[in-house]
Amino acid sequence: MLITTRPPALRAPALLAALSLLAGVGLTACSSSSGSATGGAGAASSALTFAADSEPACVDPAVSPRDVTALIDRNIFDSLVNDAPGGTIKPWLAKSWTVSGDGKTYVFHLRTGVRFHDGTALDATAVKATLDHAVDPKTKSTYAAGLLSAYKSSTAIDASTVKVSLSRPDAALLQSLSTAFLGIQSAKALRRSAAQLCGAPIGSGPFEFVSWTKKQSMVLKQNPAYDWGPPSAQHTGPAHLKTLTIRFIEENTVRVGALNSGEVDVVGGLPAPNIKSLQKSSRIQVLSAQAPGGVYSLHFNPAPGGPLSDKRVRTALLRSVDLTQLVKSVDFGAYDRAWSELGPRTPGYDASMQGSWPYDPDLAGQLLDQAGWTQRDSAGYRVRNGKELTLRWPYVAAILREQRDVLGQGIVAQAKKVGIRINRVAVDVGTYSQDVFAGKAEIWDASNVRADPDILRTLFASDQTLDKGGLNVFRVKDPQIDAWLRAGATATDPAARAAEYVKVQRRLRDLALDMPVYVPTYYVGAAKKVHGLAFEAAAYPLFYDVSVGGA
């Protein structure tokens, strides 16, 4: 039985902070890329400029859930473990670890010789401080705390040994610890103010933070002492680049123009309309990696008394949109249409979901009739007891990407054909917070990157609401989903874990709690003189192995 509740009123400052961090969220955090920059000859350059499609509000990895934050922080912070190609967890800052028989105690043995950018040494105290910081309510984490939902405490056994205690077994813990969101921070640095942590990060990674000019760029420099890269890297020692400059260029045409003119070397978030033309360029290479985790979806608010409280209405909306054609036409074939909340590269993805809920406007009409929405007004929208079937879907224009504005228009137009009015309205940050995070909207859309099916827990477990560091925005509470998510979190056998997440995916479809739209793919455009650029497990580009040489 699906149980839903109206969310309690949340303080406006908390909502505004959450939105500023969630804007453009693609959390977040399986592996492999569909390409990497290779080759190399000619005179090498020691500097590279990367143009990102958005700017973070905060680069404390424990605070922000944004894609751009993870992309930047991966250069600055190292993790305890490495999510290597193939989805296997390898040592990194932790050279080894053991797990207790009950799955509730992890003991990590740390590498020696690692130093943070402030000169302090990596030790058990730094690991404890990092994890404690992530779950501390004062941190106001909007994602990392959710990754550590089973975390109880850490104990420094000695300088190079740390014990992590959990309240319950968590099969996703190692993958969580591999993400940039739980990158290890200097214990000394963590004693600084929240503003300093957000604006001047200190890690042990291949690049050190130098400066940040808001709305323009961030500058990182090579860490010359770096000699502890992840096993998935292609070289050891310091990064090839002396300087990595990250420019923030939100306008697609300006960003692509900067690449074509040579003003920047690499651009992220390559717009779908530009991909084919850039692939024909003699100077540009296009690289891509399909993101794992939660696909771009519309999440439905099933709260009692609302227009989507009836499963028949939610199902009608789900079946009223020809997503196969819409995604193909709007995104020029750059993205695959989604059938499940999980992307195909995510462990536990249920391939049998493909084709299981096709476009069927006739069925949609029948379901709306059964739900009592039998009449239509002069505009063609369904009416019941004198009230029009209207859904509110707010958005903030500044954070739209990947043609989502055009996709939204298509979804609105197709829903209208079966008599559902969707008011997709541009609003300011404050209105968005009240509409979505306080449960006053019927639709919330997002994609949530993570290389583990545990992202489903973040999105749909009843204890993963916004105030708990989760993303169950509409406070869905389904006992079966909760039970399967708990089982998936505690199962140690990969096949047994996958089976639990398959059940969740099918339950989400049967309850029509969301509309999976497309599978995000991270496209990068780079000058052909850029070599060694690849992607990490979460599909973010990596710069540690990158060099620039030749024309």
Side-chain angles (χ1 to χ4, degrees):
M1 179 177 62
L2 175 66
I3 304 171
T4 58
T5 58
R6 287 287 185 187
L10 299 179
R11 292 174 297 172
L15 290 168
L16 295 176
L19 178 63
S20 68
L21 295 170
L22 285 167
V25 66
L27 301 179
T28 311
C30 227
S31 58
S32 96
S33 67
S34 60
S36 62
T38 59
S45 170
S46 61
L48 180 139
T49 300
F50 169 75
D53 60 356
S54 60
E55 180 175 15
C58 173
V59 285
D60 179 349
V63 173
S64 173
R66 296 188 61 187
D67 286 337
V68 67
T69 304
L71 187 157
I72 292 171
D73 282 347
R74 184 76 294 166
N75 299 285
I76 300 169
F77 296 96
D78 298 318
S79 295
L80 278 178
V81 296
N82 173 227
D83 191 352
T88 55
I89 302 297
K90 299 288 188 180
W92 193 350
L93 293 184
K95 62 182 181 181
S96 64
W97 58 88
T98 58
V99 186
S100 63
D102 64 2
K104 295 198 292 186
T105 303
Y106 286 68
V107 176
F108 295 93
H109 303 279
L110 307 178
R111 297 178 64 153
T112 57
V114 176
R115 290 198 169 271
F116 293 100
H117 303 150
D118 61 5
T120 60
L122 168 73
D123 59 12
T125 301
V127 176
K128 172 179 169 55
T130 295
L131 301 184
D132 287 349
H133 171 63
V135 300
D136 188 341
K138 294 179 182 178
T139 301
K140 298 180 181 178
S141 170
T142 52
Y143 184 54
L147 294 175
L148 294 175
S149 62
Y151 180 75
K152 187 176 180 181
S153 64
S154 292
T155 304
I157 297 175
D158 56 40
S160 60
T161 310
V162 59
K163 180 176 72 173
V164 176
S165 301
L166 308 178
S167 60
R168 59 167 172 79
D170 182 4
L173 178 66
L174 290 176
Q175 198 284 325
S176 296
L177 293 172
S178 76
T179 68
F181 300 108
L182 292 174
I184 304 302
Q185 305 196 48
S186 157
K188 176 184 175 182
L190 283 170
R191 293 194 288 269
R192 298 178 300 159
S193 69
Q196 289 173 311
L197 291 173
C198 271
I202 295 176
S204 63
F207 294 95
E208 301 180 36
F209 175 83
V210 175
S211 64
W212 183 0
T213 304
K214 295 296 180 69
K215 299 187 182 300
Q216 294 185 38
S217 65
M218 182 181 294
V219 178
L220 310 180
K221 69 177 182 179
Q222 180 201 64
N223 175 3
Y226 194 72
D227 194 28
W228 44 84
S232 57
Q234 300 301 307
H235 83 287
T236 59
H240 297 310
L241 298 171
K242 297 287 187 180
T243 304
L244 173 60
T245 300
I246 302 164
R247 289 185 55 188
F248 306 116
I249 306 177
E250 296 182 358
E251 177 59 45
N252 287 338
T253 56
V254 177
R255 198 166 62 257
V256 173
L259 176 65
N260 279 320
S261 68
E263 184 180 343
V264 302
D265 304 297
V266 183
V267 300
L270 198 63
N274 298 100
I275 291 173
K276 289 186 177 180
S277 61
L278 289 176
Q279 285 173 332
K280 298 175 182 178
S281 170
S282 61
R283 296 192 315 101
I284 306 297
Q285 54 187 321
V286 175
L287 311 173
S288 66
Q290 192 176 79
V295 302
Y296 174 66
S297 298
L298 275 55
H299 295 254
F300 302 153
N301 186 354
L308 294 179
S309 60
D310 191 325
K311 186 183 77 170
R312 292 170 296 188
V313 178
R314 299 195 302 270
T315 304
L317 178 55
L318 193 67
R319 304 298 285 272
S320 69
V321 182
D322 186 355
L323 288 172
T324 300
Q325 182 59 36
L326 185 62
V327 171
K328 181 180 180 181
S329 60
V330 170
D331 289 318
F332 300 84
Y335 307 114
D336 291 340
R337 180 252 167 95
W339 292 98
S340 165
E341 178 61 38
L342 288 184
R345 284 189 54 232
T346 317
Y349 170 71
D350 181 13
S352 73
M353 293 280 288
Q354 296 181 31
S356 66
W357 48 281
Y359 172 56
D360 193 337
D362 292 335
L363 174 62
Q366 294 168 17
L367 290 170
L368 292 173
D369 287 341
Q370 293 171 17
W373 297 94
T374 55
Q375 299 180 335
R376 292 187 184 240
D377 60 18
S378 59
Y381 294 110
R382 298 273 178 159
V383 176
R384 185 180 66 183
N385 299 327
K387 185 176 182 180
E388 187 181 78
L389 179 52
T390 302
L391 310 178
R392 183 171 177 79
W393 179 12
Y395 68 96
V396 177
I399 66 174
L400 288 174
R401 58 194 175 99
E402 297 171 351
Q403 303 285 98
R404 291 180 183 180
D405 52 342
V406 184
L407 278 170
Q409 294 168 15
I411 291 170
V412 169
Q414 294 197 13
K416 180 180 180 180
K417 293 180 180 179
V418 300
I420 300 174
R421 180 194 289 273
I422 300 178
N423 286 336
R424 179 159 167 76
V425 291
V427 296
D428 59 33
V429 169
T431 302
Y432 185 91
S433 299
Q434 291 299 322
D435 281 0
V436 176
F437 298 146
K440 295 182 180 179
E442 281 72 49
I443 299 174
W444 169 66
D445 60 309
S447 57
N448 305 274
V449 177
R450 188 179 175 191
D452 193 279
D454 191 59
I455 188 65
L456 292 175
R457 181 185 57 82
T458 302
L459 289 165
F460 295 103
S462 60
D463 63 350
Q464 289 300 293
T465 50
L466 286 171
D467 56 324
K468 300 293 180 60
L471 286 170
N472 187 349
V473 170
F474 291 136
R475 304 179 73 85
V476 171
K477 186 176 183 180
D478 180 73
Q480 285 189 285
I481 289 177
D482 280 344
W484 292 327
L485 290 174
R486 285 194 299 270
T490 57
T492 56
D493 177 68
R497 278 196 83 207
E500 301 299 334
Y501 294 114
V502 164
K503 295 174 188 176
V504 175
Q505 292 167 77
R506 295 177 183 179
R507 179 74 169 164
L508 293 172
R509 176 200 59 197
D510 294 342
L511 292 177
L513 287 173
D514 66 343
M515 178 191 289
V517 179
Y518 68 86
V519 184
T521 296
Y522 197 92
Y523 282 93
V524 170
K528 287 193 174 177
K529 64 181 180 180
V530 174
H531 315 293
L533 192 151
F535 298 89
E536 70 158 328
Y540 306 128
L542 295 168
F543 294 96
Y544 172 50
D545 288 319
V546 168
S547 61
V548 182

Short mmCIF file of all heavy atoms in Angstrom, two decimals, residues 2-8 299-311 313-314 373 384 387 390-391 435-444 472-477 511-513:
data_model
loop_
_atom_site.label_atom_id
_atom_site.label_comp_id
_atom_site.label_asym_id
_atom_site.label_seq_id
_atom_site.Cartn_x
_atom_site.Cartn_y
_atom_site.Cartn_z
N LEU A 2 0.57 2.14 -0.90
CA LEU A 2 1.30 3.41 -0.99
C LEU A 2 0.75 4.38 0.03
O LEU A 2 -0.44 4.65 0.08
CB LEU A 2 1.18 4.00 -2.39
CG LEU A 2 1.81 5.37 -2.61
CD1 LEU A 2 3.32 5.28 -2.45
CD2 LEU A 2 1.45 5.91 -3.98
N ILE A 3 1.64 4.89 0.88
CA ILE A 3 1.26 5.88 1.88
C ILE A 3 1.98 7.16 1.56
O ILE A 3 3.19 7.17 1.36
CB ILE A 3 1.64 5.42 3.29
CG1 ILE A 3 1.02 4.03 3.59
CG2 ILE A 3 1.22 6.43 4.33
CD1 ILE A 3 1.51 3.41 4.85
N THR A 4 1.27 8.26 1.51
CA THR A 4 1.93 9.54 1.28
C THR A 4 1.47 10.53 2.32
O THR A 4 0.37 10.43 2.88
CB THR A 4 1.60 10.11 -0.12
OG1 THR A 4 0.19 10.23 -0.23
CG2 THR A 4 2.11 9.20 -1.21
N THR A 5 2.31 11.48 2.60
CA THR A 5 1.97 12.50 3.58
C THR A 5 2.34 13.86 3.03
O THR A 5 3.28 13.99 2.25
CB THR A 5 2.73 12.28 4.90
OG1 THR A 5 4.13 12.28 4.63
CG2 THR A 5 2.33 10.96 5.53
N ARG A 6 1.64 14.86 3.45
CA ARG A 6 2.02 16.22 3.11
C ARG A 6 3.26 16.59 3.89
O ARG A 6 3.36 16.30 5.08
CB ARG A 6 0.89 17.19 3.48
CG ARG A 6 -0.32 17.11 2.55
CD ARG A 6 -0.03 17.71 1.20
NE ARG A 6 -1.23 17.73 0.36
CZ ARG A 6 -1.21 18.07 -0.91
NH1 ARG A 6 -0.07 18.40 -1.49
NH2 ARG A 6 -2.33 18.08 -1.61
N PRO A 7 4.26 17.20 3.26
CA PRO A 7 5.47 17.56 3.98
C PRO A 7 5.20 18.69 4.96
O PRO A 7 4.34 19.53 4.73
CB PRO A 7 6.41 18.02 2.88
CG PRO A 7 5.53 18.47 1.78
CD PRO A 7 4.30 17.60 1.85
N PRO A 8 5.94 18.70 6.05
CA PRO A 8 5.80 19.81 6.98
C PRO A 8 6.34 21.08 6.37
O PRO A 8 7.16 21.05 5.45
CB PRO A 8 6.66 19.36 8.18
CG PRO A 8 7.69 18.47 7.57
CD PRO A 8 6.99 17.76 6.45
N HIS A 299 9.12 13.30 -11.52
CA HIS A 299 8.62 12.65 -10.31
C HIS A 299 7.24 13.21 -9.99
O HIS A 299 7.04 14.43 -10.00
CB HIS A 299 9.59 12.88 -9.15
CG HIS A 299 10.93 12.25 -9.36
ND1 HIS A 299 11.33 11.11 -8.70
CD2 HIS A 299 11.95 12.57 -10.18
CE1 HIS A 299 12.54 10.76 -9.09
NE2 HIS A 299 12.93 11.64 -10.01
N PHE A 300 6.30 12.31 -9.70
CA PHE A 300 4.91 12.70 -9.48
C PHE A 300 4.61 12.78 -7.99
O PHE A 300 5.05 11.93 -7.21
CB PHE A 300 3.96 11.71 -10.14
CG PHE A 300 4.17 11.55 -11.62
CD1 PHE A 300 3.84 10.36 -12.27
CD2 PHE A 300 4.69 12.58 -12.39
CE1 PHE A 300 4.01 10.21 -13.63
CE2 PHE A 300 4.87 12.44 -13.77
CZ PHE A 300 4.53 11.24 -14.39
N ASN A 301 3.82 13.78 -7.61
CA ASN A 301 3.43 13.98 -6.22
C ASN A 301 2.11 13.25 -5.94
O ASN A 301 1.05 13.71 -6.36
CB ASN A 301 3.27 15.47 -5.94
CG ASN A 301 3.00 15.76 -4.47
OD1 ASN A 301 2.83 14.85 -3.67
ND2 ASN A 301 2.97 17.03 -4.12
N PRO A 302 2.17 12.12 -5.21
CA PRO A 302 0.95 11.34 -4.97
C PRO A 302 0.25 11.70 -3.66
O PRO A 302 -0.51 10.89 -3.12
CB PRO A 302 1.50 9.91 -4.92
CG PRO A 302 2.83 10.07 -4.25
CD PRO A 302 3.37 11.43 -4.68
N ALA A 303 0.51 12.88 -3.12
CA ALA A 303 -0.04 13.27 -1.82
C ALA A 303 -1.56 13.19 -1.81
O ALA A 303 -2.22 13.53 -2.81
CB ALA A 303 0.42 14.67 -1.46
N PRO A 304 -2.14 12.76 -0.70
CA PRO A 304 -3.60 12.66 -0.60
C PRO A 304 -4.28 13.98 -0.92
O PRO A 304 -3.83 15.06 -0.51
CB PRO A 304 -3.82 12.28 0.88
CG PRO A 304 -2.54 11.63 1.30
CD PRO A 304 -1.47 12.33 0.54
N GLY A 305 -5.36 13.90 -1.67
CA GLY A 305 -6.11 15.08 -2.02
C GLY A 305 -5.63 15.78 -3.27
O GLY A 305 -6.33 16.64 -3.81
N GLY A 306 -4.45 15.42 -3.74
CA GLY A 306 -3.92 16.05 -4.93
C GLY A 306 -4.39 15.35 -6.19
O GLY A 306 -4.88 14.22 -6.15
N PRO A 307 -4.25 15.99 -7.34
CA PRO A 307 -4.73 15.39 -8.60
C PRO A 307 -3.99 14.11 -8.99
O PRO A 307 -4.51 13.31 -9.76
CB PRO A 307 -4.50 16.50 -9.63
CG PRO A 307 -3.48 17.40 -9.02
CD PRO A 307 -3.71 17.34 -7.54
N LEU A 308 -2.77 13.91 -8.45
CA LEU A 308 -2.03 12.69 -8.78
C LEU A 308 -2.07 11.66 -7.65
O LEU A 308 -1.27 10.73 -7.61
CB LEU A 308 -0.57 13.05 -9.11
CG LEU A 308 -0.37 13.87 -10.39
CD1 LEU A 308 1.11 14.17 -10.61
CD2 LEU A 308 -0.94 13.13 -11.60
N SER A 309 -3.00 11.81 -6.71
CA SER A 309 -3.15 10.81 -5.65
C SER A 309 -3.72 9.51 -6.19
O SER A 309 -3.52 8.44 -5.60
CB SER A 309 -4.05 11.35 -4.54
OG SER A 309 -5.34 11.66 -5.05
N ASP A 310 -4.42 9.57 -7.31
CA ASP A 310 -5.03 8.39 -7.94
C ASP A 310 -4.03 7.78 -8.92
O ASP A 310 -3.58 8.43 -9.86
CB ASP A 310 -6.30 8.82 -8.68
CG ASP A 310 -7.15 7.64 -9.15
OD1 ASP A 310 -6.57 6.60 -9.52
OD2 ASP A 310 -8.38 7.79 -9.16
N LYS A 311 -3.70 6.51 -8.69
CA LYS A 311 -2.74 5.83 -9.56
C LYS A 311 -3.20 5.84 -11.01
O LYS A 311 -2.37 5.88 -11.94
CB LYS A 311 -2.52 4.39 -9.09
CG LYS A 311 -1.43 3.66 -9.85
CD LYS A 311 -1.27 2.21 -9.41
CE LYS A 311 -2.37 1.33 -9.97
NZ LYS A 311 -2.09 -0.12 -9.74
N VAL A 313 -4.67 8.19 -12.63
CA VAL A 313 -4.31 9.46 -13.25
C VAL A 313 -2.81 9.51 -13.52
O VAL A 313 -2.38 9.96 -14.59
CB VAL A 313 -4.75 10.64 -12.37
CG1 VAL A 313 -4.33 11.97 -13.00
CG2 VAL A 313 -6.27 10.62 -12.15
N ARG A 314 -2.01 9.03 -12.56
CA ARG A 314 -0.56 9.00 -12.78
C ARG A 314 -0.21 8.11 -13.96
O ARG A 314 0.63 8.45 -14.80
CB ARG A 314 0.15 8.50 -11.51
CG ARG A 314 -0.05 9.37 -10.29
CD ARG A 314 0.96 9.04 -9.19
NE ARG A 314 0.91 7.65 -8.74
CZ ARG A 314 0.15 7.19 -7.75
NH1 ARG A 314 -0.68 8.01 -7.12
NH2 ARG A 314 0.21 5.91 -7.39
N TRP A 373 -12.78 11.50 -14.49
CA TRP A 373 -12.52 12.70 -15.28
C TRP A 373 -13.12 12.50 -16.69
O TRP A 373 -12.42 12.38 -17.69
CB TRP A 373 -11.01 12.96 -15.38
CG TRP A 373 -10.37 13.24 -14.05
CD1 TRP A 373 -9.75 12.33 -13.23
CD2 TRP A 373 -10.30 14.50 -13.38
NE1 TRP A 373 -9.30 12.95 -12.09
CE2 TRP A 373 -9.61 14.30 -12.16
CE3 TRP A 373 -10.74 15.80 -13.70
CZ2 TRP A 373 -9.37 15.31 -11.25
CZ3 TRP A 373 -10.50 16.82 -12.80
CH2 TRP A 373 -9.82 16.57 -11.58
N ARG A 384 -13.78 17.26 -13.55
CA ARG A 384 -14.54 16.39 -12.65
C ARG A 384 -15.12 17.26 -11.53
O ARG A 384 -14.39 18.01 -10.89
CB ARG A 384 -13.64 15.31 -12.05
CG ARG A 384 -14.38 14.29 -11.18
CD ARG A 384 -13.44 13.25 -10.62
NE ARG A 384 -12.49 13.84 -9.67
CZ ARG A 384 -11.52 13.16 -9.07
NH1 ARG A 384 -11.31 11.89 -9.37
NH2 ARG A 384 -10.72 13.77 -8.23
N LYS A 387 -14.14 20.82 -11.59
CA LYS A 387 -12.74 21.19 -11.40
C LYS A 387 -11.89 20.61 -12.52
O LYS A 387 -11.99 19.43 -12.86
CB LYS A 387 -12.23 20.70 -10.05
CG LYS A 387 -10.82 21.15 -9.72
CD LYS A 387 -10.42 20.70 -8.33
CE LYS A 387 -9.02 21.18 -7.98
NZ LYS A 387 -8.60 20.75 -6.62
N THR A 390 -5.56 19.81 -13.52
CA THR A 390 -4.43 20.68 -13.75
C THR A 390 -3.27 20.28 -12.85
O THR A 390 -3.45 20.06 -11.65
CB THR A 390 -4.80 22.15 -13.47
OG1 THR A 390 -5.91 22.52 -14.31
CG2 THR A 390 -3.62 23.07 -13.75
N LEU A 391 -2.07 20.21 -13.44
CA LEU A 391 -0.87 19.86 -12.70
C LEU A 391 0.12 21.02 -12.78
O LEU A 391 0.32 21.60 -13.85
CB LEU A 391 -0.22 18.61 -13.29
CG LEU A 391 -1.13 17.40 -13.52
CD1 LEU A 391 -0.34 16.26 -14.17
CD2 LEU A 391 -1.76 16.93 -12.21
N ASP A 435 6.99 25.64 -3.99
CA ASP A 435 6.17 24.75 -4.81
C ASP A 435 6.64 23.31 -4.74
O ASP A 435 5.84 22.39 -4.57
CB ASP A 435 6.18 25.22 -6.27
CG ASP A 435 5.26 26.39 -6.51
OD1 ASP A 435 4.62 26.84 -5.54
OD2 ASP A 435 5.17 26.86 -7.65
N VAL A 436 7.94 23.11 -4.90
CA VAL A 436 8.47 21.75 -5.02
C VAL A 436 8.83 21.18 -3.66
O VAL A 436 8.32 20.14 -3.24
CB VAL A 436 9.68 21.72 -5.97
CG1 VAL A 436 10.29 20.32 -6.00
CG2 VAL A 436 9.25 22.12 -7.37
N PHE A 437 9.74 21.84 -2.95
CA PHE A 437 10.25 21.27 -1.73
C PHE A 437 9.22 21.26 -0.60
O PHE A 437 9.36 20.52 0.36
CB PHE A 437 11.52 22.00 -1.29
CG PHE A 437 12.63 21.88 -2.31
CD1 PHE A 437 13.52 22.92 -2.51
CD2 PHE A 437 12.78 20.73 -3.06
CE1 PHE A 437 14.54 22.81 -3.44
CE2 PHE A 437 13.77 20.61 -3.99
CZ PHE A 437 14.67 21.66 -4.19
N ALA A 438 8.20 22.09 -0.69
CA ALA A 438 7.13 22.07 0.31
C ALA A 438 5.92 21.28 -0.19
O ALA A 438 4.87 21.29 0.44
CB ALA A 438 6.71 23.50 0.69
N GLY A 439 6.06 20.60 -1.32
CA GLY A 439 5.02 19.70 -1.79
C GLY A 439 3.82 20.35 -2.45
O GLY A 439 2.77 19.71 -2.58
N LYS A 440 3.97 21.59 -2.91
CA LYS A 440 2.83 22.27 -3.52
C LYS A 440 2.76 22.08 -5.03
O LYS A 440 1.81 22.53 -5.65
CB LYS A 440 2.89 23.77 -3.18
CG LYS A 440 2.71 24.06 -1.69
CD LYS A 440 2.73 25.56 -1.42
CE LYS A 440 2.54 25.85 0.05
NZ LYS A 440 2.57 27.30 0.34
N ALA A 441 3.76 21.45 -5.60
CA ALA A 441 3.75 21.15 -7.03
C ALA A 441 3.34 19.69 -7.22
O ALA A 441 3.40 18.88 -6.30
CB ALA A 441 5.12 21.41 -7.63
N GLU A 442 2.95 19.37 -8.44
CA GLU A 442 2.62 17.97 -8.77
C GLU A 442 3.76 17.25 -9.47
O GLU A 442 3.79 16.02 -9.52
CB GLU A 442 1.37 17.92 -9.66
CG GLU A 442 0.06 18.08 -8.92
CD GLU A 442 -0.16 19.50 -8.44
OE1 GLU A 442 0.00 20.44 -9.25
OE2 GLU A 442 -0.50 19.66 -7.25
N ILE A 443 4.72 18.01 -10.03
CA ILE A 443 5.81 17.40 -10.79
C ILE A 443 7.12 18.07 -10.40
O ILE A 443 7.21 19.29 -10.27
CB ILE A 443 5.59 17.55 -12.31
CG1 ILE A 443 4.29 16.83 -12.74
CG2 ILE A 443 6.77 16.98 -13.09
CD1 ILE A 443 3.92 17.05 -14.19
N TRP A 444 8.15 17.25 -10.20
CA TRP A 444 9.53 17.70 -9.98
C TRP A 444 10.41 16.88 -10.91
O TRP A 444 10.25 15.66 -11.01
CB TRP A 444 9.94 17.47 -8.53
CG TRP A 444 11.40 17.67 -8.26
CD1 TRP A 444 12.10 18.83 -8.33
CD2 TRP A 444 12.36 16.66 -7.86
NE1 TRP A 444 13.42 18.63 -8.00
CE2 TRP A 444 13.60 17.30 -7.71
CE3 TRP A 444 12.27 15.29 -7.61
CZ2 TRP A 444 14.77 16.61 -7.33
CZ3 TRP A 444 13.42 14.61 -7.24
CH2 TRP A 444 14.65 15.27 -7.09
N ASN A 472 13.85 12.31 -1.56
CA ASN A 472 12.44 11.91 -1.63
C ASN A 472 11.61 13.17 -1.43
O ASN A 472 11.03 13.41 -0.37
CB ASN A 472 12.14 10.86 -0.56
CG ASN A 472 10.73 10.29 -0.69
OD1 ASN A 472 9.90 10.79 -1.44
ND2 ASN A 472 10.46 9.24 0.07
N VAL A 473 11.58 13.98 -2.46
CA VAL A 473 11.01 15.33 -2.38
C VAL A 473 9.53 15.30 -2.01
O VAL A 473 9.07 16.11 -1.20
CB VAL A 473 11.23 16.07 -3.72
CG1 VAL A 473 10.45 17.37 -3.77
CG2 VAL A 473 12.71 16.33 -3.93
N PHE A 474 8.78 14.36 -2.57
CA PHE A 474 7.34 14.31 -2.34
C PHE A 474 6.96 13.36 -1.21
O PHE A 474 5.80 12.99 -1.06
CB PHE A 474 6.61 13.94 -3.62
CG PHE A 474 6.66 15.02 -4.68
CD1 PHE A 474 6.91 14.71 -6.00
CD2 PHE A 474 6.45 16.35 -4.34
CE1 PHE A 474 6.95 15.70 -6.98
CE2 PHE A 474 6.49 17.35 -5.30
CZ PHE A 474 6.74 17.03 -6.62
N ARG A 475 7.95 12.95 -0.41
CA ARG A 475 7.73 12.16 0.80
C ARG A 475 6.90 10.90 0.55
O ARG A 475 5.96 10.57 1.30
CB ARG A 475 7.09 13.04 1.89
CG ARG A 475 7.90 14.29 2.20
CD ARG A 475 7.24 15.15 3.26
NE ARG A 475 7.37 14.54 4.56
CZ ARG A 475 8.42 14.68 5.36
NH1 ARG A 475 9.46 15.41 4.97
NH2 ARG A 475 8.45 14.11 6.54
N VAL A 476 7.25 10.19 -0.50
CA VAL A 476 6.60 8.91 -0.81
C VAL A 476 6.94 7.91 0.29
O VAL A 476 8.09 7.83 0.75
CB VAL A 476 7.08 8.38 -2.17
CG1 VAL A 476 6.59 6.96 -2.41
CG2 VAL A 476 6.63 9.31 -3.29
N LYS A 477 5.95 7.15 0.71
CA LYS A 477 6.16 6.11 1.71
C LYS A 477 5.43 4.85 1.29
O LYS A 477 4.21 4.77 1.42
CB LYS A 477 5.69 6.57 3.08
CG LYS A 477 6.00 5.57 4.20
CD LYS A 477 5.61 6.11 5.57
CE LYS A 477 6.00 5.12 6.66
NZ LYS A 477 5.62 5.63 8.01
N LEU A 511 3.22 1.55 -9.81
CA LEU A 511 2.55 2.62 -9.07
C LEU A 511 2.57 3.94 -9.84
O LEU A 511 1.94 4.91 -9.42
CB LEU A 511 3.22 2.83 -7.72
CG LEU A 511 3.05 1.71 -6.68
CD1 LEU A 511 3.82 2.05 -5.43
CD2 LEU A 511 1.58 1.48 -6.36
N ALA A 512 3.30 3.96 -10.96
CA ALA A 512 3.42 5.17 -11.79
C ALA A 512 3.84 6.37 -10.94
O ALA A 512 3.22 7.44 -10.97
CB ALA A 512 2.10 5.46 -12.52
N LEU A 513 4.94 6.21 -10.20
CA LEU A 513 5.42 7.29 -9.34
C LEU A 513 6.35 8.25 -10.06
O LEU A 513 6.65 9.32 -9.54
CB LEU A 513 6.13 6.70 -8.12
CG LEU A 513 5.20 6.06 -7.09
CD1 LEU A 513 6.00 5.37 -6.00
CD2 LEU A 513 4.27 7.11 -6.48
#
